[in-house]
Amino acid sequence: MDDLIEDFIAETRETLEALTSQLVEWERRPHDRALLDSVFRFVHTVKGSCGFLSLPRLLRLSHAAEDVLSAARDGKVEVSADLVTAVLAVIDRIAVLTEALDTGVSVYDDDEALTDAVRKHLRGKAEDLVTGSVEETAEALASEDSQLRGKSRTVRVSLNLLDNLMSGVSDMVLARNEVSRQLRKVGSNADLDISFARLSSSVAELRDAVGMMRMQHIDKLFSALPRLVRDISIELGKEIELRIDGSEVEVDREMVEALRDPLTHILRNAADHGIESADERRAAGKDPAGHIHISARQSGNQIVIEIVDDGRGINVDKLGGRAIAANVTTVGEWQKMSLRSQLNMIFTPGLSTADSVTSISGRGVGMDVVRNNLQAIGGTIELENHEGHGLKITLRLPLTLSIIAGLSVRAGSQIFGIARSSVVEMVSTSNPNVKFEELGGRKIVNIRNKRYPVKSLEDILGIAKGAHIPGDSRTLIVMRPAVGTTFVLEVAAVIDNEELVVKPGAPLVMGNGLFAGTSLPDNGRPLLLLDASGLGAAMGLSATDREDREIDSTADVESKSNGPSALLFIASDGRKQAIRLSAIERMEDIDVAQIQYVGGRTRVSADGGLYDLWEYESAPDDGLVKVLKLSDGDSACYLAVGDVMDIFSITGDIVPSAHPEQHEGVVYAFGEPVELLNMFAFFETSDRRRRNRGSEALCFIDCSEDAQWERTILAPLLTASGYAVSFDERDQSHAAIILHRDVAKAREQANDPRTLHLRDSNHSLSEPIASIYRYDGAGLISAIEEKLAGRV
Amino acid sequence: MTNILYLIADLAGSLVAIESSQVESIVHLPDVVPVPNCDPSVAGIFALRSRVLTLIDTQFHITGVQKIAPKGALAVVTEIAGHQYGLLVDKVHDVVPMTIEHAESKIRPPAVWNPYVEQIATHGGELVMILNTEALVSGQTALAA
């Protein structure tokens, strides 16, 4: 709401500025129609916004002015000098109040005198006395105006300018990459490298800042919804309460626009079909007022929006009836479908369970459009139906429209991009777990006993395969598109893993449905992004995912019985090793410049964070280090590797290792014994602070105001170990640990189990009670941990 | 009688003109990446600074034969309906003011040009066809019509 008010202030201020000259002009020529119109437009806009933002004073003022001006426009009221003066007084007051909204200064409320003065004209008898006083007030206020005017904190910028800035920055990033390539060619020069690094980092900062400029509170989208629901509920005669959470979540500016229609659709459906009439609700034992709850949150790199209503939900049987009647499915098929697939029939074009078409919804042009709109921006929609109790719709959207994690793949002699979100796994055709089969002429691939339809990208696109070198393996990519069946795409090779900036393609290019857009990677050669669903469709696979889910679930059981998967790789020292696949987030190449030895450990700065890098030996010639990004769910770290070989499933026993802290054990991969890395160590030492943050144990340090040792030595030690530190006596009562150095106090507080006494000397003899030497850091931390453990 | 600036170029052996307000720039093509399985009038995509543009094989509309654009070939950059295109031309002559004489409208080029030619004008005594750029990027449908 604050944002809206800020916008309102900025907008009103802006229009007022533009209006000033016209107001003066209007005073001189009160009968000029064009001027009258623009003044009317202004008060009308202010009235509209104020009603929405619930600003009653501004509403009353603008309403009065609007009434008179509207009458003047219709010729019902003579535009006299008095009327102009009265209206100007009102506009001045609107200006003062608007500024007051910003500065928070209160303005004396004699609005009634102003509105009365205006309304007098409606009754056709202006009173000189009142207008006189108004004039005075207006002047007085005008002089105050300059003092009240607050500093503007926002600037309105045209979208074109913003887009220009963004493309300018992308140009700059490309230019920087080009310079970086040139520099690498020329060879190293320390001074130049430092200057370039500085340039590089400011370009990166600039890009981030511009990225932020694209972000907008989702409130921009949500703020219009209460009004929408109110209008619908009045029209339908239902009482509906709308609750909105998570308005502060930030989304891409374009996303706000792209979401507007789908969300409006969903909300209309919920209000119209979902929520029953008050009588029906009472009969069902529900609160007569319907509830709709909309919430938004950010989860990883996704935005999740949930729309929950407590209406009647979807009547699945009725939906089935409609689907069968519309020849979308047959009775037999319907009965064999899973509940989820049945529910997903709601997305079929032209289907609706509504009994009657209302002006709001029920024409059957809803959910399919909603789903298509969402897919266009890379989102998904899920339904959770509780028949009789309500429906929950979950929308999942990518964080930004423009940047996706992608893979570049080669087909023939050309490079294409694929969104990583649709890739399940990649295997080499030379992998012994891969078998090619055939079914009625269609190629099928069998990967670890799961069968998928397969086609080469070259065949789908109709391009030449290029010379095939015997013995040369190709790569199979298991793809699961947002809609449609999982399939396997065969490509010549997977080139790289990179962040791709998606640019929309021209309609001519997108027309064949195979491409999702274009992108310009760092090498400056444009790339076509493949559309996973479109590829599936081009392979002649059905676009519905009816039985797909069930197949998947059985397949999952199968793969579980096969044992967990692991990745075989060549370690930095040249030996073959294996690591559990589940811990690998992704594989990437990082620049040597990102690697630093700081804080006693080799670290990688990536994605704005600092991560540990393990097993890094030396910088390779090409300046790129192959790494695996590992994650334990909370924290991440990198593991440098020589090369990645293949995925295999761990079967049979894991033979114990002689060094369990390094290797979980020895497993067989493709008939060869290899060490299975123990990842425990990577995460165990990773950042003690992060692990302890959850405990939030508060340490109160009992010392005098100027105790230097406590403040400069002890407090940082505790903070670094993950404890909150306080010197405030008010915190003493709820602190988990109390630390002090004062012998006198030690006796008083000896009974408090939370107390730890620190002594100045290394010898404990002179002290009367149990204590810890104050420079025994490890001893102190373990004593705190013991105390905490004892307490819990 | 209007007097507007036009870019004069050679296309499929004929003299054509494009209104200069539609022309953003004229570029020598960098590498062109072909777009497989696509409308035959699309010669590919290419990068212009940080933008990706669609290259139209303009002469395909006239000759019906696809031509591979060599690196360094000339393209007229124009924006149509929010997307940017490069229109391949053989040669670029000049930007000149031209007067369109409606009286000339009874003289028309062969039918194959019809969908793409808006008007006929004269420049230095020669007849020039003024191109409708929008029709050039709308794909094969225009050819069929």
Side-chain angles (χ1 to χ4, degrees):
Chain A
M1 220 48 171
D2 281 354
D3 265 4
L4 286 178
I5 289 189
E6 245 165 58
D7 278 355
F8 168 74
I9 293 170
E11 202 177 294
T12 311
R13 200 181 269 159
E14 208 170 80
T15 20
L16 266 176
E17 260 162 36
L19 204 66
T20 317
S21 62
Q22 292 184 18
L23 286 177
V24 178
E25 192 72 1
W26 188 46
E27 216 167 358
R28 211 176 304 147
R29 290 187 286 132
H31 295 283
D32 189 309
R33 179 68 196 212
L35 291 170
L36 182 59
D37 282 352
S38 59
V39 177
F40 175 78
R41 257 199 309 278
F42 169 72
V43 288
H44 180 75
T45 316
V46 171
K47 191 193 92 172
S49 319
C50 297
F52 182 60
L53 293 167
S54 74
L55 300 167
R57 277 182 75 183
L58 282 170
L59 182 66
R60 275 198 301 275
L61 285 166
S62 46
H63 193 74
E66 192 196 12
D67 284 351
V68 175
L69 288 171
S70 155
R73 268 155 51 107
D74 295 345
K76 286 181 196 146
V77 173
E78 168 74 6
V79 185
S80 63
D82 278 349
L83 184 143
V84 172
T85 315
V87 170
L88 287 188
V90 167
I91 291 177
D92 283 345
R93 178 59 62 87
I94 290 174
V96 171
L97 283 173
T98 311
E99 291 309 325
L101 264 182
D102 195 18
T103 52
V105 179
S106 62
V107 177
Y108 177 64
D109 189 353
D110 60 348
D111 297 348
E112 217 153 297
L114 298 176
T115 52
D116 281 352
V118 172
R119 287 193 196 277
K120 286 269 155 53
H121 292 276
L122 275 181
R123 294 193 289 271
K125 39 177 181 178
E127 277 176 35
D128 288 342
L129 189 77
V130 178
T131 25
S133 83
V134 165
E135 221 164 352
E136 242 178 56
T137 340
E139 260 166 41
L141 286 169
S143 68
E144 268 172 47
D145 185 70
S146 55
Q147 295 151 23
L148 285 175
R149 179 162 282 241
K151 271 192 194 131
S152 170
R153 287 258 150 247
T154 56
V155 178
R156 290 154 72 87
V157 179
S158 88
L159 288 184
N160 276 342
L161 196 59
L162 205 58
D163 285 341
N164 281 351
L165 181 65
M166 295 215 41
S167 68
V169 170
S170 338
D171 280 349
M172 205 153 87
V173 172
L174 286 175
R176 182 201 60 180
N177 295 339
E178 187 54 40
V179 172
S180 147
R181 258 197 301 281
Q182 301 287 347
L183 278 181
R184 224 179 281 160
K185 246 189 252 169
V186 171
S188 165
N189 170 335
D191 286 346
L192 194 58
D193 282 352
I194 291 168
S195 322
F196 181 70
R198 219 175 80 198
L199 177 71
S200 237
S201 64
S202 35
V203 168
E205 267 171 38
L206 190 60
R207 184 165 63 169
D208 289 350
V210 171
M212 299 276 282
M213 276 161 63
R214 293 176 64 89
M215 301 305 266
Q216 238 176 19
H217 281 177
I218 202 164
D219 197 34
K220 274 255 187 292
L221 180 64
F222 284 176
S223 57
L225 301 181
R227 176 63 196 269
L228 180 78
V229 170
R230 182 197 147 272
D231 288 354
I232 296 174
S233 58
I234 286 175
E235 187 175 334
L236 298 170
K238 295 175 185 176
E239 200 183 323
I240 301 173
E241 273 174 32
L242 178 70
R243 208 175 97 214
I244 294 179
D245 282 333
S247 299
E248 71 289 345
V249 169
E250 292 203 316
V251 293
D252 197 283
R253 171 166 65 70
E254 282 173 53
M255 185 79 79
V256 170
E257 291 312 313
L259 272 177
R260 190 159 305 207
D261 285 351
L263 205 59
T264 312
H265 254 302
I266 291 174
L267 210 59
R268 284 199 171 138
N269 270 331
D272 193 7
H273 306 319
I275 305 286
E276 312 91 328
S277 69
D279 293 339
E280 244 178 279
R281 291 183 65 89
R282 248 182 239 114
K286 293 189 198 176
D287 183 352
H291 296 264
I292 300 178
H293 182 195
I294 298 182
S295 65
R297 69 194 144 87
Q298 189 184 334
S299 154
N301 59 356
Q302 283 187 323
I303 301 282
V304 181
I305 301 177
E306 288 177 349
I307 302 105
V308 184
D309 70 63
D310 67 346
R312 57 170 80 92
I314 296 174
N315 185 332
V316 178
D317 292 337
K318 199 159 154 192
L319 180 67
R322 290 281 158 95
I324 293 160
N327 271 334
V328 180
T329 183
T330 63
V331 180
E333 269 179 6
W334 177 262
Q335 281 165 350
K336 269 185 264 168
M337 274 188 213
S338 68
L339 191 65
R340 190 196 184 91
S341 313
Q342 288 180 341
L343 208 52
N344 280 341
M345 278 303 226
I346 196 98
F347 296 117
T348 314
L351 273 194
S352 168
T353 57
D355 289 320
S356 60
V357 172
T358 67
S359 67
I360 292 158
S361 52
R363 283 174 300 257
V365 285
M367 295 308 277
D368 60 316
V369 175
V370 167
R371 184 158 80 164
N372 287 347
N373 284 355
L374 283 167
Q375 274 163 2
I377 54 173
T380 60
I381 180 166
E382 268 168 54
L383 300 176
E384 196 182 311
N385 186 33
H386 302 281
E387 211 172 320
H389 300 284
L391 180 69
K392 175 170 157 186
I393 300 178
T394 309
L395 313 179
R396 287 173 199 279
L397 308 153
L399 202 50
T400 66
L401 286 182
S402 50
I403 299 175
I404 59 158
L407 286 178
S408 47
V409 300
R410 192 162 57 82
S413 54
Q414 225 180 313
I415 312 284
F416 296 91
I418 300 177
R420 212 165 53 206
S421 56
S422 53
V423 173
V424 183
E425 69 166 323
M426 292 179 279
V427 283
S428 160
T429 46
S430 62
N431 188 311
N433 287 321
V434 172
K435 281 193 287 289
F436 285 95
E437 298 163 2
E438 198 174 295
L439 182 72
R442 170 171 280 178
K443 272 173 88 182
I444 304 284
V445 67
N446 182 332
I447 302 172
R448 286 189 298 275
N449 296 326
K450 278 199 247 177
R451 289 189 177 85
Y452 308 98
V454 62
K455 199 164 183 181
S456 76
L457 186 53
E458 289 92 337
D459 286 347
I460 296 176
L461 296 175
I463 54 179
K465 259 194 180 167
H468 182 75
I469 305 152
D472 201 13
S473 68
R474 291 165 58 89
T475 308
L476 299 173
I477 306 176
V478 181
M479 310 263 288
R480 182 180 293 153
V483 258
T485 330
T486 306
F487 63 92
V488 170
L489 192 66
E490 185 191 310
V491 297
V494 173
I495 312 283
D496 203 357
N497 194 341
E498 55 191 320
E499 305 271 290
L500 296 172
V501 179
V502 185
K503 294 163 195 286
L508 269 182
V509 175
M510 309 289 275
N512 60 19
L514 292 172
F515 304 115
T518 61
S519 180
L520 195 59
D522 289 352
N523 63 16
R525 229 182 113 83
L527 194 72
L528 284 159
L529 292 174
L530 297 168
D531 182 85
S533 315
L535 290 176
M539 282 171 68
L541 301 173
S542 104
T544 54
D545 51 357
R546 286 183 208 164
E547 288 101 60
D548 193 34
R549 307 269 172 193
E550 284 116 297
I551 292 171
D552 274 357
S553 57
T554 49
D556 280 351
V557 175
E558 247 175 52
S559 70
K560 261 174 209 142
S561 65
N562 271 351
S565 298
L567 178 78
L568 184 67
F569 66 96
I570 299 176
S572 312
D573 58 5
R575 289 185 308 155
K576 274 188 194 175
Q577 285 191 314
I579 188 163
R580 283 181 190 270
L581 195 63
S582 53
I584 302 174
E585 199 171 281
R586 61 169 185 258
M587 196 181 99
E588 51 187 86
D589 289 323
I590 54 172
D591 205 309
V592 175
Q594 286 173 266
I595 301 173
Q596 277 111 18
Y597 186 81
V598 279
R601 191 169 293 152
T602 315
R603 298 176 204 246
V604 178
S605 44
D607 312 329
L610 204 56
Y611 302 95
D612 293 352
L613 174 65
W614 297 96
E615 318 253 322
Y616 175 62
E617 308 248 305
S618 61
D621 301 332
D622 60 357
L624 289 176
V625 182
K626 230 181 206 59
V627 292
L628 301 176
K629 188 173 184 185
L630 310 177
S631 167
D632 66 349
D634 298 323
S635 52
C637 66
Y638 285 91
L639 174 70
V641 296
D643 206 356
V644 170
M645 300 184 69
D646 211 338
I647 296 170
F648 64 97
S649 25
I650 301 173
T651 45
D653 291 336
I654 299 177
V655 182
S657 162
H659 302 284
E661 66 282 1
Q662 287 168 21
H663 315 120
E664 256 185 69
V666 179
V667 291
Y668 274 90
F670 309 108
E672 211 182 324
V674 290
E675 290 157 345
L676 185 62
L677 267 189
N678 186 351
M679 283 167 298
F680 195 69
F682 299 154
F683 292 106
E684 190 254 339
T685 44
S686 134
D687 214 348
R688 196 186 294 178
R689 191 171 59 107
R690 207 173 293 156
R691 280 186 299 124
N692 277 344
R693 189 166 278 164
S695 66
E696 297 264 319
L698 179 70
C699 294
F700 168 70
I701 304 179
D702 189 5
C703 66
S704 58
E705 288 276 309
D706 54 351
Q708 205 186 351
W709 182 80
E710 277 82 354
R711 283 173 197 270
T712 57
I713 309 278
L714 180 60
L717 170 75
L718 294 172
T719 319
S721 304
Y723 299 103
V725 176
S726 168
F727 293 97
D728 193 332
E729 285 200 12
R730 280 167 296 185
D731 286 334
Q732 182 168 1
S733 55
H734 65 263
I737 298 288
I738 299 169
L739 294 158
H740 65 90
R741 247 190 329 150
D742 192 326
V743 182
K745 276 190 186 164
R747 291 208 186 82
E748 282 170 37
Q749 297 181 343
N751 292 332
D752 191 333
R754 299 175 299 169
T755 313
L756 270 177
H757 183 62
L758 304 177
R759 61 174 187 266
D760 289 345
S761 108
N762 205 352
H763 308 283
S764 58
L765 294 173
S766 62
E767 299 294 336
I769 48 163
S771 57
I772 300 164
Y773 174 45
R774 66 175 165 134
Y775 278 109
D776 181 5
L780 178 61
I781 297 299
S782 65
I784 290 175
E785 274 171 14
E786 266 169 42
K787 282 237 184 251
L788 286 176
R791 196 171 57 92
V792 178
Chain B
M1 292 259 272
T2 44
N3 215 4
I4 313 170
L5 284 173
Y6 286 92
L7 172 78
I8 311 279
D10 275 356
L11 173 64
S14 303
L15 216 51
V16 295
I18 299 170
E19 205 186 309
S20 66
S21 62
Q22 293 175 8
V23 177
E24 194 183 296
S25 59
I26 295 153
V27 293
H28 287 283
L29 287 178
D31 283 342
V32 177
V33 174
V35 180
N37 208 341
C38 179
D39 190 284
S41 66
V42 174
I45 53 174
F46 67 102
L48 183 61
R49 298 204 299 282
S50 70
R51 297 173 304 172
V52 178
L53 280 70
T54 307
L55 185 65
I56 303 292
D57 186 359
T58 326
Q59 61 86 40
F60 170 81
H61 287 298
I62 310 303
T63 63
V65 180
Q66 280 179 296
K67 205 171 83 175
I68 291 159
K71 194 170 172 167
L74 281 171
V76 175
V77 176
T78 179
E79 186 176 318
I80 295 158
H83 292 282
Q84 283 162 322
Y85 298 89
L87 306 175
L88 265 175
V89 291
D90 300 336
K91 195 174 164 196
V92 173
H93 292 281
D94 203 356
V95 177
V96 292
M98 280 200 306
T99 310
I100 294 165
E101 288 168 44
H102 293 284
E104 298 285 354
S105 62
K106 61 180 187 292
I107 300 168
R108 296 293 298 175
V112 66
W113 285 91
N114 266 338
Y116 313 107
V117 174
E118 271 180 339
Q119 280 162 317
I120 311 291
T122 49
H123 167 59
E126 278 184 89
L127 286 170
V128 178
M129 292 178 278
I130 296 170
L131 290 183
N132 173 0
T133 48
E134 228 164 285
L136 286 171
V137 303
S138 58
Q140 259 192 318
T141 42
L143 191 68

